[in-house]
Amino acid sequence: MNDFIYNTPTKVYFGKGKEKEIGEIIREYGYKKIMLQYGKASVIKSGLLDTIKASLNNSAIEFVEMGGVEPNPKITFVREAIAVAKREKVDMILAVGGGSVIDSCKYTALGAKADCDVWDFAMGKRKPIDAIPVACVLTHSAAGSEMSNSAVITNLELNMKKGCSTELNRLKFAVMNPELTYTLPAYQTACGVVDIMAHTMERYFTVCDDTDLTDRIAESILKAVISAGRVAVETPNDYEARATIMWASSLSHNGLTGCGRENYLAVHQLEHALSGEYDHVAHGAGLAVLFPAWAKYVYKTNVKRFAQFARRVWDIVESDDEKAAIMGIEAMSNYFKSIGMPTTLKEFNIPNVAERLADLCTYQKTRTVKSYITLDYKVIKEIFESCY
Amino acid sequence: MNDFIYNTPTKVYFGKGKEKEIGEIIREYGYKKIMLQYGKASVIKSGLLDTIKASLNNSAIEFVEMGGVEPNPKITFVREAIAVAKREKVDMILAVGGGSVIDSCKYTALGAKADCDVWDFAMGKRKPIDAIPVACVLTHSAAGSEMSNSAVITNLELNMKKGCSTELNRLKFAVMNPELTYTLPAYQTACGVVDIMAHTMERYFTVCDDTDLTDRIAESILKAVISAGRVAVETPNDYEARATIMWASSLSHNGLTGCGRENYLAVHQLEHALSGEYDHVAHGAGLAVLFPAWAKYVYKTNVKRFAQFARRVWDIVESDDEKAAIMGIEAMSNYFKSIGMPTTLKEFNIPNVAERLADLCTYQKTRTVKSYITLDYKVIKEIFESCY
C-alpha cells in the first residue's frame, strides 16, 4: 500500500427534500451574499430554482444569478462569472446542477481570488492559492465533482478540455436529494453510471496490487452501481436505485477508491480529447466506448488484476486468468450496451480522426499519458482506431 | 435508504514514517502551544515520544505533557487534563496512542471549553458547544476514534463507562503509520480486529434492508480485515496487513458503514457495562464473546440479512437461509477463537453476574437498549447468561 493523504471535508446532506433546507444550511455557515450558478431550462422548468430561491429568501441570504452554464462548461462563461463575483463581493458560490455547473463554480471560485487569468490554472502555468467556498445542490449523479478535488473546463478557442486538481476545489457541503434525478432521461442516467464506474475502474487498474481493502471497496461500488444502473434506466423513479447511484458518484471520486495506490485517470484523458473536440459527445458515452478499448489494449500487462475484476465484479466463473480477463472486459462492454450506451465512435457520427485525437492527447506528440503502460502517440492512435 | 448526514472532516496522513512530520503538519495548521497526551511506558520505550518531541521542537511548537492515560480512560485523569489545558491555554491537543488516549483527549477538549463538569456530557445532562481542536498519532488500530464522532470514558466511582457523540469530537487530522503497530502483542491486535469488525457489523445488522451500497462496503471491510487479521496475528511486521487493519479501523467507524440506515451499537452498550465493571476485560475481547451471543439471540428477526452476511462475508455455501445464518454466526465465532479471542465470559475469571450487568445496561431496569429487537433487562440478562 502506497502512502496517501485522505481529505474529504465536504459535508453531505443526503435525502428526500433536502434542497428545501438550503437557506437554513447556508445561514448556519454564516454566508450572507452568494452567487447562484445553474444550467439551462431544466432547473427552471422543474421548479427547483424557485424552491431554492424561496429558501434563500426565507433565510435572508442575498444572491446574484449566473444561469446558462453549458455541458462541458466553457472558460468564457467562467471569466464572466469571475468578474461578477469580484464586483458583487459574494462570499460563497452555490452550484445548482451536475458536474458541469459544479466545475464552472470551482473555476469561478479559484479565479475570483486570483490576479491571473483562470485558464493558467487549467494549463498548470500557475497554482491557485485561495478560493471562495463552493457548495452544491446536486441534480445529476455522474461526475462526482460534489466531493472531488478536481474540475474540468473547456476552451473552445483552443479546442481543449482541461482539468485542475487542488484541495481548494473541495466543496464546503453538498445537498443530495436522489429524487432530483428522477427526470433525467435514460441516456443521461446511463452516461452517469458509466462515469461513476470509470472513476472507480481507473483507480482499480493501477500497478499497485497490495491494496486489498481499496480493491474490495471499489468492487462493492461497482457491483452496487451496475445493479442500480439497470433499475434506474428502466424505472426512473426508483428511489433506492437513484440513491445508490448518487451516493456512489461521490464515493467513486472523493479519494476513497484511490487510497494506497497510484491514480492516473488515463481513459479520462483520452475522453477529454474526444468530447473537447466534439461538443455533442457526452462524457459518459465517450467513456463507454473508450474504456473497453483501452482495457483490451492494456490487460496483458496485469492479467491477474483483470481476472480478479472479472470474477469479483462480473461473477465470471473461469479458472484461466487470461480467458477470465477477456470475459470481464466483454461483460463490461455488454453492460454499457445494455443500458443504451454506444460501443463505437461511429455511433457519434464522427469521421475517423484517430490521428487528430492522439495529437490532442499528447499535445502534438510532446507528452505521453500515464497508465499501466505509458500511452504514447502511437498507442493512443491505435486505441482510437480500434473504436471505429 | 434513510436520509443521512455524512461528515468526515478529519484529514488523514497515512504511511511509513509519517509521525516524523508531525511538527511540520501542526505548524501548517498554525497551532503554537499544544497538549501532548499519551499512555504508559510503551510510547516512551519505543522511542516514539522522543521522535514526536524532536519534531515539535524542530518546528518550534510549544507543548505540555500529560502522560499516563489508562486503558478505559478515566474521568479523573480528564478533569486534571482540563485544568492544565485551561491554565496553560493550549490551542490544540495531540493524542499519541490508540482509542483510549484519543478519547481522553476528546473529553479534555470538550471540557476545556466548558464551564460545567465534563461528566455531564457523558451522562447527556448537557450538550457540548465548543472544543479545542484534537489530532492524533495513532499507535493502535481498533477503536476508530481517529475519525469517529464519539468518545468513551469510565467513571470508576460510579462503575460506569459512557460514550458521548458530537461532531465536535471529529479530529482535525490523524497521522497513521501502520509500522507503529508492529510491536502490539497478538492478543491486542486480535482485540482490535474484533472491535473493527464489531463497528462494521453493528451497523450492518439493522432494520434497513435497502442499502445495497452500504451493505457491500461493509462486507468489503469485513473481508479485508478478516484476512489481514489472520496475517497480523501470525506475522506482526507484515506492513500490508497492518495497513489494511489500520485503514479499516477508521473506515469502519467514521460514518461510512452507517450511511442510510439506523445505527444502534447495541453490543457495544452491553460490552461497555462489562469492561466498565471489570477493568481487566479488554473491549475487543468482550465484544468477541458478546457479539456471537447477541447474534444468536436476534438473528431470527432478520434471517435473510444474517444469511447474506454468511454467504458474502464467510463464503458459506448453503441455500437454506436459516441454516446459512447460523453457519455465519458460527464462522464468526470460530474466527474470533482462531485469532486467540475468548468465547466465554468464564475465560475472564468473572463470576456469573448476568443480573448485575443487565442492571448496568438498563440503568437498573429504567431503560432498554435499541437493536433489531428492543433489548430489555430480561433479554440482556439472558444474553449475558448464555456467555458463561
Side-chain angles (χ1 to χ4, degrees), chain A residues 1 3-6 8 12 14-16 18 210 216 220 240 247, chain B residues 1 3-6 8 12 14-16 18 210 216 220 240:
Chain A
M1 201 187 286
D3 296 354
F4 63 87
I5 288 176
Y6 183 72
T8 55
V12 173
F14 195 102
K16 291 175 186 168
K18 282 279 175 284
D210 51 11
R216 290 188 183 276
S220 302
E240 299 312 328
W247 187 218
Chain B
M1 200 186 287
D3 296 354
F4 63 88
I5 288 176
Y6 183 71
T8 56
V12 173
F14 195 100
K16 291 175 184 168
K18 283 280 175 282
D210 51 12
R216 290 187 181 276
S220 302
E240 299 312 329

PDB file of all heavy atoms in Angstrom, chain A residues 1 3-6 8 12 14-16 18 210 216 220 240 247, chain B residues 1 3-6 8 12 14-16 18 210 216 220 240:
ATOM      1  N   MET A   1       0.844  -1.198   0.000  1.00  0.00           N
ATOM      2  CA  MET A   1       0.000   0.000   0.000  1.00  0.00           C
ATOM      3  C   MET A   1       0.884   1.254   0.000  1.00  0.00           C
ATOM      4  O   MET A   1       1.722   1.404   0.873  1.00  0.00           O
ATOM      5  CB  MET A   1      -0.911  -0.016   1.246  1.00  0.00           C
ATOM      6  CG  MET A   1      -2.145   0.869   1.100  1.00  0.00           C
ATOM      7  SD  MET A   1      -3.126   1.026   2.628  1.00  0.00           S
ATOM      8  CE  MET A   1      -3.928  -0.578   2.744  1.00  0.00           C
ATOM      9  N   ASP A   3       1.785   5.240   0.454  1.00  0.00           N
ATOM     10  CA  ASP A   3       1.358   6.297   1.368  1.00  0.00           C
ATOM     11  C   ASP A   3       0.257   7.121   0.699  1.00  0.00           C
ATOM     12  O   ASP A   3       0.219   7.234  -0.530  1.00  0.00           O
ATOM     13  CB  ASP A   3       2.539   7.225   1.686  1.00  0.00           C
ATOM     14  CG  ASP A   3       3.652   6.491   2.433  1.00  0.00           C
ATOM     15  OD1 ASP A   3       3.454   5.313   2.790  1.00  0.00           O
ATOM     16  OD2 ASP A   3       4.713   7.099   2.626  1.00  0.00           O
ATOM     17  N   PHE A   4      -0.606   7.684   1.495  1.00  0.00           N
ATOM     18  CA  PHE A   4      -1.626   8.558   0.909  1.00  0.00           C
ATOM     19  C   PHE A   4      -2.119   9.599   1.905  1.00  0.00           C
ATOM     20  O   PHE A   4      -1.933   9.464   3.118  1.00  0.00           O
ATOM     21  CB  PHE A   4      -2.816   7.742   0.379  1.00  0.00           C
ATOM     22  CG  PHE A   4      -3.584   6.975   1.426  1.00  0.00           C
ATOM     23  CD1 PHE A   4      -4.627   7.570   2.133  1.00  0.00           C
ATOM     24  CD2 PHE A   4      -3.281   5.652   1.713  1.00  0.00           C
ATOM     25  CE1 PHE A   4      -5.351   6.870   3.097  1.00  0.00           C
ATOM     26  CE2 PHE A   4      -3.988   4.939   2.674  1.00  0.00           C
ATOM     27  CZ  PHE A   4      -5.021   5.542   3.365  1.00  0.00           C
ATOM     28  N   ILE A   5      -2.714  10.644   1.355  1.00  0.00           N
ATOM     29  CA  ILE A   5      -3.431  11.623   2.171  1.00  0.00           C
ATOM     30  C   ILE A   5      -4.899  11.501   1.801  1.00  0.00           C
ATOM     31  O   ILE A   5      -5.243  11.435   0.620  1.00  0.00           O
ATOM     32  CB  ILE A   5      -2.916  13.054   1.920  1.00  0.00           C
ATOM     33  CG1 ILE A   5      -1.524  13.209   2.534  1.00  0.00           C
ATOM     34  CG2 ILE A   5      -3.879  14.088   2.505  1.00  0.00           C
ATOM     35  CD1 ILE A   5      -0.873  14.547   2.276  1.00  0.00           C
ATOM     36  N   TYR A   6      -5.754  11.391   2.807  1.00  0.00           N
ATOM     37  CA  TYR A   6      -7.193  11.277   2.571  1.00  0.00           C
ATOM     38  C   TYR A   6      -7.851  12.526   3.133  1.00  0.00           C
ATOM     39  O   TYR A   6      -7.689  12.844   4.310  1.00  0.00           O
ATOM     40  CB  TYR A   6      -7.726  10.034   3.277  1.00  0.00           C
ATOM     41  CG  TYR A   6      -9.193   9.761   3.052  1.00  0.00           C
ATOM     42  CD1 TYR A   6      -9.646   9.313   1.819  1.00  0.00           C
ATOM     43  CD2 TYR A   6     -10.114   9.939   4.067  1.00  0.00           C
ATOM     44  CE1 TYR A   6     -10.992   9.046   1.611  1.00  0.00           C
ATOM     45  CE2 TYR A   6     -11.471   9.668   3.865  1.00  0.00           C
ATOM     46  CZ  TYR A   6     -11.892   9.219   2.631  1.00  0.00           C
ATOM     47  OH  TYR A   6     -13.225   8.951   2.434  1.00  0.00           O
ATOM     48  N   THR A   8     -11.546  14.437   2.826  1.00  0.00           N
ATOM     49  CA  THR A   8     -12.909  14.591   2.293  1.00  0.00           C
ATOM     50  C   THR A   8     -13.723  15.481   3.227  1.00  0.00           C
ATOM     51  O   THR A   8     -14.621  15.014   3.921  1.00  0.00           O
ATOM     52  CB  THR A   8     -13.620  13.226   2.180  1.00  0.00           C
ATOM     53  OG1 THR A   8     -13.592  12.588   3.461  1.00  0.00           O
ATOM     54  CG2 THR A   8     -12.962  12.325   1.177  1.00  0.00           C
ATOM     55  N   VAL A  12     -21.993  16.157   3.637  1.00  0.00           N
ATOM     56  CA  VAL A  12     -23.073  15.730   2.747  1.00  0.00           C
ATOM     57  C   VAL A  12     -24.408  15.712   3.493  1.00  0.00           C
ATOM     58  O   VAL A  12     -24.517  15.097   4.551  1.00  0.00           O
ATOM     59  CB  VAL A  12     -22.771  14.324   2.183  1.00  0.00           C
ATOM     60  CG1 VAL A  12     -23.963  13.795   1.391  1.00  0.00           C
ATOM     61  CG2 VAL A  12     -21.519  14.358   1.321  1.00  0.00           C
ATOM     62  N   PHE A  14     -27.842  14.290   2.770  1.00  0.00           N
ATOM     63  CA  PHE A  14     -28.385  13.344   1.791  1.00  0.00           C
ATOM     64  C   PHE A  14     -29.816  12.960   2.148  1.00  0.00           C
ATOM     65  O   PHE A  14     -30.090  12.513   3.263  1.00  0.00           O
ATOM     66  CB  PHE A  14     -27.513  12.088   1.788  1.00  0.00           C
ATOM     67  CG  PHE A  14     -27.712  11.184   0.602  1.00  0.00           C
ATOM     68  CD1 PHE A  14     -26.807  11.188  -0.448  1.00  0.00           C
ATOM     69  CD2 PHE A  14     -28.804  10.316   0.527  1.00  0.00           C
ATOM     70  CE1 PHE A  14     -26.982  10.349  -1.546  1.00  0.00           C
ATOM     71  CE2 PHE A  14     -28.986   9.488  -0.569  1.00  0.00           C
ATOM     72  CZ  PHE A  14     -28.065   9.496  -1.609  1.00  0.00           C
ATOM     73  N   GLY A  15     -30.727  13.090   1.189  1.00  0.00           N
ATOM     74  CA  GLY A  15     -32.077  12.582   1.434  1.00  0.00           C
ATOM     75  C   GLY A  15     -33.173  13.386   0.761  1.00  0.00           C
ATOM     76  O   GLY A  15     -32.925  14.395   0.086  1.00  0.00           O
ATOM     77  N   LYS A  16     -34.372  12.903   0.965  1.00  0.00           N
ATOM     78  CA  LYS A  16     -35.549  13.479   0.321  1.00  0.00           C
ATOM     79  C   LYS A  16     -35.804  14.919   0.771  1.00  0.00           C
ATOM     80  O   LYS A  16     -35.792  15.214   1.962  1.00  0.00           O
ATOM     81  CB  LYS A  16     -36.781  12.625   0.649  1.00  0.00           C
ATOM     82  CG  LYS A  16     -36.734  11.270  -0.021  1.00  0.00           C
ATOM     83  CD  LYS A  16     -37.890  10.369   0.390  1.00  0.00           C
ATOM     84  CE  LYS A  16     -37.676   8.984  -0.227  1.00  0.00           C
ATOM     85  NZ  LYS A  16     -38.556   7.962   0.310  1.00  0.00           N
ATOM     86  N   LYS A  18     -34.147  17.556   0.794  1.00  0.00           N
ATOM     87  CA  LYS A  18     -33.096  18.304   1.493  1.00  0.00           C
ATOM     88  C   LYS A  18     -32.836  19.690   0.873  1.00  0.00           C
ATOM     89  O   LYS A  18     -32.352  20.592   1.554  1.00  0.00           O
ATOM     90  CB  LYS A  18     -31.793  17.497   1.498  1.00  0.00           C
ATOM     91  CG  LYS A  18     -31.763  16.376   2.521  1.00  0.00           C
ATOM     92  CD  LYS A  18     -31.430  16.885   3.910  1.00  0.00           C
ATOM     93  CE  LYS A  18     -31.516  15.794   4.957  1.00  0.00           C
ATOM     94  NZ  LYS A  18     -32.905  15.457   5.333  1.00  0.00           N
ATOM     95  N   ASP A 210      -1.321  -4.409  -3.913  1.00  0.00           N
ATOM     96  CA  ASP A 210      -1.305  -4.763  -2.495  1.00  0.00           C
ATOM     97  C   ASP A 210      -2.289  -3.907  -1.703  1.00  0.00           C
ATOM     98  O   ASP A 210      -2.037  -3.534  -0.574  1.00  0.00           O
ATOM     99  CB  ASP A 210       0.107  -4.585  -1.941  1.00  0.00           C
ATOM    100  CG  ASP A 210       0.668  -3.211  -2.271  1.00  0.00           C
ATOM    101  OD1 ASP A 210      -0.114  -2.352  -2.727  1.00  0.00           O
ATOM    102  OD2 ASP A 210       1.872  -3.010  -2.060  1.00  0.00           O
ATOM    103  N   ARG A 216     -11.492  -4.064  -2.666  1.00  0.00           N
ATOM    104  CA  ARG A 216     -12.814  -4.597  -2.313  1.00  0.00           C
ATOM    105  C   ARG A 216     -13.859  -3.481  -2.240  1.00  0.00           C
ATOM    106  O   ARG A 216     -15.019  -3.683  -2.605  1.00  0.00           O
ATOM    107  CB  ARG A 216     -12.734  -5.378  -0.999  1.00  0.00           C
ATOM    108  CG  ARG A 216     -11.965  -6.678  -1.161  1.00  0.00           C
ATOM    109  CD  ARG A 216     -12.044  -7.537   0.088  1.00  0.00           C
ATOM    110  NE  ARG A 216     -11.257  -8.740  -0.066  1.00  0.00           N
ATOM    111  CZ  ARG A 216     -11.690  -9.864  -0.674  1.00  0.00           C
ATOM    112  NH1 ARG A 216     -12.899  -9.897  -1.209  1.00  0.00           N
ATOM    113  NH2 ARG A 216     -10.910 -10.918  -0.766  1.00  0.00           N
ATOM    114  N   SER A 220     -17.200  -3.245  -4.497  1.00  0.00           N
ATOM    115  CA  SER A 220     -18.518  -3.008  -3.892  1.00  0.00           C
ATOM    116  C   SER A 220     -19.271  -1.923  -4.631  1.00  0.00           C
ATOM    117  O   SER A 220     -20.463  -2.063  -4.921  1.00  0.00           O
ATOM    118  CB  SER A 220     -18.374  -2.465  -2.466  1.00  0.00           C
ATOM    119  OG  SER A 220     -17.659  -3.313  -1.683  1.00  0.00           O
ATOM    120  N   GLU A 240     -34.447   3.960  -4.400  1.00  0.00           N
ATOM    121  CA  GLU A 240     -33.255   3.251  -3.928  1.00  0.00           C
ATOM    122  C   GLU A 240     -32.172   3.209  -4.997  1.00  0.00           C
ATOM    123  O   GLU A 240     -30.991   3.414  -4.712  1.00  0.00           O
ATOM    124  CB  GLU A 240     -33.611   1.831  -3.461  1.00  0.00           C
ATOM    125  CG  GLU A 240     -34.598   1.770  -2.312  1.00  0.00           C
ATOM    126  CD  GLU A 240     -34.257   2.695  -1.143  1.00  0.00           C
ATOM    127  OE1 GLU A 240     -33.057   2.920  -0.905  1.00  0.00           O
ATOM    128  OE2 GLU A 240     -35.186   3.202  -0.497  1.00  0.00           O
ATOM    129  N   TRP A 247     -25.035   8.350  -4.326  1.00  0.00           N
ATOM    130  CA  TRP A 247     -24.017   8.225  -3.274  1.00  0.00           C
ATOM    131  C   TRP A 247     -22.738   7.605  -3.856  1.00  0.00           C
ATOM    132  O   TRP A 247     -21.618   7.988  -3.502  1.00  0.00           O
ATOM    133  CB  TRP A 247     -24.586   7.430  -2.112  1.00  0.00           C
ATOM    134  CG  TRP A 247     -23.740   7.331  -0.870  1.00  0.00           C
ATOM    135  CD1 TRP A 247     -23.615   6.242  -0.070  1.00  0.00           C
ATOM    136  CD2 TRP A 247     -22.923   8.355  -0.276  1.00  0.00           C
ATOM    137  NE1 TRP A 247     -22.773   6.511   0.978  1.00  0.00           N
ATOM    138  CE2 TRP A 247     -22.323   7.804   0.875  1.00  0.00           C
ATOM    139  CE3 TRP A 247     -22.615   9.681  -0.612  1.00  0.00           C
ATOM    140  CZ2 TRP A 247     -21.447   8.530   1.699  1.00  0.00           C
ATOM    141  CZ3 TRP A 247     -21.747  10.404   0.210  1.00  0.00           C
ATOM    142  CH2 TRP A 247     -21.181   9.824   1.340  1.00  0.00           C
TER     143      TRP A 247
ATOM    144  N   MET B   1     -33.333   3.564   1.565  1.00  0.00           N
ATOM    145  CA  MET B   1     -32.194   4.233   2.204  1.00  0.00           C
ATOM    146  C   MET B   1     -32.692   5.426   3.029  1.00  0.00           C
ATOM    147  O   MET B   1     -33.379   6.289   2.498  1.00  0.00           O
ATOM    148  CB  MET B   1     -31.207   4.716   1.116  1.00  0.00           C
ATOM    149  CG  MET B   1     -29.813   4.979   1.647  1.00  0.00           C
ATOM    150  SD  MET B   1     -28.675   5.719   0.433  1.00  0.00           S
ATOM    151  CE  MET B   1     -28.315   4.363  -0.661  1.00  0.00           C
ATOM    152  N   ASP B   3     -32.438   8.981   5.106  1.00  0.00           N
ATOM    153  CA  ASP B   3     -31.666  10.211   4.968  1.00  0.00           C
ATOM    154  C   ASP B   3     -30.448  10.140   5.892  1.00  0.00           C
ATOM    155  O   ASP B   3     -30.492   9.473   6.929  1.00  0.00           O
ATOM    156  CB  ASP B   3     -32.517  11.418   5.380  1.00  0.00           C
ATOM    157  CG  ASP B   3     -33.712  11.611   4.457  1.00  0.00           C
ATOM    158  OD1 ASP B   3     -33.806  10.886   3.446  1.00  0.00           O
ATOM    159  OD2 ASP B   3     -34.551  12.480   4.759  1.00  0.00           O
ATOM    160  N   PHE B   4     -29.384  10.805   5.512  1.00  0.00           N
ATOM    161  CA  PHE B   4     -28.228  10.839   6.406  1.00  0.00           C
ATOM    162  C   PHE B   4     -27.381  12.087   6.182  1.00  0.00           C
ATOM    163  O   PHE B   4     -27.487  12.743   5.148  1.00  0.00           O
ATOM    164  CB  PHE B   4     -27.357   9.580   6.240  1.00  0.00           C
ATOM    165  CG  PHE B   4     -26.731   9.415   4.867  1.00  0.00           C
ATOM    166  CD1 PHE B   4     -25.502   9.982   4.563  1.00  0.00           C
ATOM    167  CD2 PHE B   4     -27.364   8.663   3.887  1.00  0.00           C
ATOM    168  CE1 PHE B   4     -24.921   9.818   3.309  1.00  0.00           C
ATOM    169  CE2 PHE B   4     -26.801   8.496   2.626  1.00  0.00           C
ATOM    170  CZ  PHE B   4     -25.578   9.075   2.346  1.00  0.00           C
ATOM    171  N   ILE B   5     -26.573  12.377   7.186  1.00  0.00           N
ATOM    172  CA  ILE B   5     -25.533  13.407   7.041  1.00  0.00           C
ATOM    173  C   ILE B   5     -24.195  12.688   7.129  1.00  0.00           C
ATOM    174  O   ILE B   5     -23.994  11.848   8.005  1.00  0.00           O
ATOM    175  CB  ILE B   5     -25.656  14.478   8.140  1.00  0.00           C
ATOM    176  CG1 ILE B   5     -26.888  15.351   7.866  1.00  0.00           C
ATOM    177  CG2 ILE B   5     -24.400  15.350   8.199  1.00  0.00           C
ATOM    178  CD1 ILE B   5     -27.175  16.387   8.929  1.00  0.00           C
ATOM    179  N   TYR B   6     -23.336  12.984   6.176  1.00  0.00           N
ATOM    180  CA  TYR B   6     -22.001  12.361   6.172  1.00  0.00           C
ATOM    181  C   TYR B   6     -20.979  13.463   6.408  1.00  0.00           C
ATOM    182  O   TYR B   6     -20.930  14.444   5.662  1.00  0.00           O
ATOM    183  CB  TYR B   6     -21.762  11.695   4.814  1.00  0.00           C
ATOM    184  CG  TYR B   6     -20.451  10.949   4.699  1.00  0.00           C
ATOM    185  CD1 TYR B   6     -20.262   9.759   5.375  1.00  0.00           C
ATOM    186  CD2 TYR B   6     -19.418  11.422   3.909  1.00  0.00           C
ATOM    187  CE1 TYR B   6     -19.071   9.060   5.268  1.00  0.00           C
ATOM    188  CE2 TYR B   6     -18.222  10.726   3.785  1.00  0.00           C
ATOM    189  CZ  TYR B   6     -18.057   9.548   4.471  1.00  0.00           C
ATOM    190  OH  TYR B   6     -16.881   8.851   4.363  1.00  0.00           O
ATOM    191  N   THR B   8     -16.952  13.728   7.441  1.00  0.00           N
ATOM    192  CA  THR B   8     -15.652  13.147   7.820  1.00  0.00           C
ATOM    193  C   THR B   8     -14.541  14.158   7.531  1.00  0.00           C
ATOM    194  O   THR B   8     -13.748  13.966   6.625  1.00  0.00           O
ATOM    195  CB  THR B   8     -15.359  11.851   7.043  1.00  0.00           C
ATOM    196  OG1 THR B   8     -15.441  12.156   5.643  1.00  0.00           O
ATOM    197  CG2 THR B   8     -16.312  10.751   7.379  1.00  0.00           C
ATOM    198  N   VAL B  12      -6.393  12.660   6.834  1.00  0.00           N
ATOM    199  CA  VAL B  12      -5.559  11.513   7.202  1.00  0.00           C
ATOM    200  C   VAL B  12      -4.211  11.573   6.472  1.00  0.00           C
ATOM    201  O   VAL B  12      -4.173  11.709   5.251  1.00  0.00           O
ATOM    202  CB  VAL B  12      -6.279  10.195   6.844  1.00  0.00           C
ATOM    203  CG1 VAL B  12      -5.361   8.995   7.055  1.00  0.00           C
ATOM    204  CG2 VAL B  12      -7.555  10.037   7.664  1.00  0.00           C
ATOM    205  N   PHE B  14      -1.380   9.136   5.897  1.00  0.00           N
ATOM    206  CA  PHE B  14      -1.211   7.691   6.072  1.00  0.00           C
ATOM    207  C   PHE B  14       0.091   7.219   5.424  1.00  0.00           C
ATOM    208  O   PHE B  14       0.335   7.469   4.249  1.00  0.00           O
ATOM    209  CB  PHE B  14      -2.385   6.980   5.409  1.00  0.00           C
ATOM    210  CG  PHE B  14      -2.554   5.523   5.807  1.00  0.00           C
ATOM    211  CD1 PHE B  14      -3.503   5.150   6.749  1.00  0.00           C
ATOM    212  CD2 PHE B  14      -1.766   4.528   5.227  1.00  0.00           C
ATOM    213  CE1 PHE B  14      -3.672   3.815   7.112  1.00  0.00           C
ATOM    214  CE2 PHE B  14      -1.914   3.195   5.591  1.00  0.00           C
ATOM    215  CZ  PHE B  14      -2.874   2.829   6.532  1.00  0.00           C
ATOM    216  N   GLY B  15       0.904   6.511   6.192  1.00  0.00           N
ATOM    217  CA  GLY B  15       2.078   5.891   5.573  1.00  0.00           C
ATOM    218  C   GLY B  15       3.284   5.807   6.482  1.00  0.00           C
ATOM    219  O   GLY B  15       3.269   6.232   7.636  1.00  0.00           O
ATOM    220  N   LYS B  16       4.326   5.238   5.915  1.00  0.00           N
ATOM    221  CA  LYS B  16       5.558   4.970   6.664  1.00  0.00           C
ATOM    222  C   LYS B  16       6.229   6.261   7.144  1.00  0.00           C
ATOM    223  O   LYS B  16       6.416   7.191   6.348  1.00  0.00           O
ATOM    224  CB  LYS B  16       6.519   4.181   5.784  1.00  0.00           C
ATOM    225  CG  LYS B  16       6.038   2.760   5.524  1.00  0.00           C
ATOM    226  CD  LYS B  16       6.942   2.012   4.543  1.00  0.00           C
ATOM    227  CE  LYS B  16       6.327   0.648   4.258  1.00  0.00           C
ATOM    228  NZ  LYS B  16       6.940  -0.056   3.136  1.00  0.00           N
ATOM    229  N   LYS B  18       5.368   8.710   8.831  1.00  0.00           N
ATOM    230  CA  LYS B  18       4.622   9.983   8.810  1.00  0.00           C
ATOM    231  C   LYS B  18       4.695  10.734  10.147  1.00  0.00           C
ATOM    232  O   LYS B  18       4.573  11.963  10.185  1.00  0.00           O
ATOM    233  CB  LYS B  18       3.151   9.739   8.444  1.00  0.00           C
ATOM    234  CG  LYS B  18       2.909   9.484   6.967  1.00  0.00           C
ATOM    235  CD  LYS B  18       2.880  10.774   6.180  1.00  0.00           C
ATOM    236  CE  LYS B  18       2.767  10.534   4.678  1.00  0.00           C
ATOM    237  NZ  LYS B  18       4.051  10.127   4.053  1.00  0.00           N
ATOM    238  N   ASP B 210     -32.504  -1.781   2.585  1.00  0.00           N
ATOM    239  CA  ASP B 210     -32.479  -1.201   1.254  1.00  0.00           C
ATOM    240  C   ASP B 210     -31.223  -0.371   1.021  1.00  0.00           C
ATOM    241  O   ASP B 210     -31.251   0.653   0.373  1.00  0.00           O
ATOM    242  CB  ASP B 210     -33.730  -0.348   1.034  1.00  0.00           C
ATOM    243  CG  ASP B 210     -33.924   0.654   2.172  1.00  0.00           C
ATOM    244  OD1 ASP B 210     -32.987   0.827   2.981  1.00  0.00           O
ATOM    245  OD2 ASP B 210     -34.996   1.260   2.232  1.00  0.00           O
ATOM    246  N   ARG B 216     -22.549  -3.542   0.858  1.00  0.00           N
ATOM    247  CA  ARG B 216     -21.397  -4.093   0.145  1.00  0.00           C
ATOM    248  C   ARG B 216     -20.078  -3.502   0.643  1.00  0.00           C
ATOM    249  O   ARG B 216     -19.060  -4.185   0.709  1.00  0.00           O
ATOM    250  CB  ARG B 216     -21.564  -3.888  -1.354  1.00  0.00           C
ATOM    251  CG  ARG B 216     -22.678  -4.758  -1.938  1.00  0.00           C
ATOM    252  CD  ARG B 216     -22.728  -4.694  -3.457  1.00  0.00           C
ATOM    253  NE  ARG B 216     -23.814  -5.501  -3.975  1.00  0.00           N
ATOM    254  CZ  ARG B 216     -23.749  -6.815  -4.194  1.00  0.00           C
ATOM    255  NH1 ARG B 216     -22.643  -7.477  -3.927  1.00  0.00           N
ATOM    256  NH2 ARG B 216     -24.789  -7.480  -4.665  1.00  0.00           N
ATOM    257  N   SER B 220     -17.012  -5.561   2.297  1.00  0.00           N
ATOM    258  CA  SER B 220     -15.635  -5.369   1.829  1.00  0.00           C
ATOM    259  C   SER B 220     -14.681  -5.191   2.984  1.00  0.00           C
ATOM    260  O   SER B 220     -13.607  -5.794   3.029  1.00  0.00           O
ATOM    261  CB  SER B 220     -15.507  -4.075   1.021  1.00  0.00           C
ATOM    262  OG  SER B 220     -16.351  -4.056  -0.046  1.00  0.00           O
ATOM    263  N   GLU B 240       1.473  -4.735   4.907  1.00  0.00           N
ATOM    264  CA  GLU B 240       0.178  -4.675   4.212  1.00  0.00           C
ATOM    265  C   GLU B 240      -0.981  -5.047   5.132  1.00  0.00           C
ATOM    266  O   GLU B 240      -2.026  -4.396   5.132  1.00  0.00           O
ATOM    267  CB  GLU B 240       0.186  -5.579   2.970  1.00  0.00           C
ATOM    268  CG  GLU B 240       1.224  -5.200   1.921  1.00  0.00           C
ATOM    269  CD  GLU B 240       1.254  -3.726   1.563  1.00  0.00           C
ATOM    270  OE1 GLU B 240       0.204  -3.073   1.623  1.00  0.00           O
ATOM    271  OE2 GLU B 240       2.350  -3.211   1.258  1.00  0.00           O
TER     272      GLU B 240
END
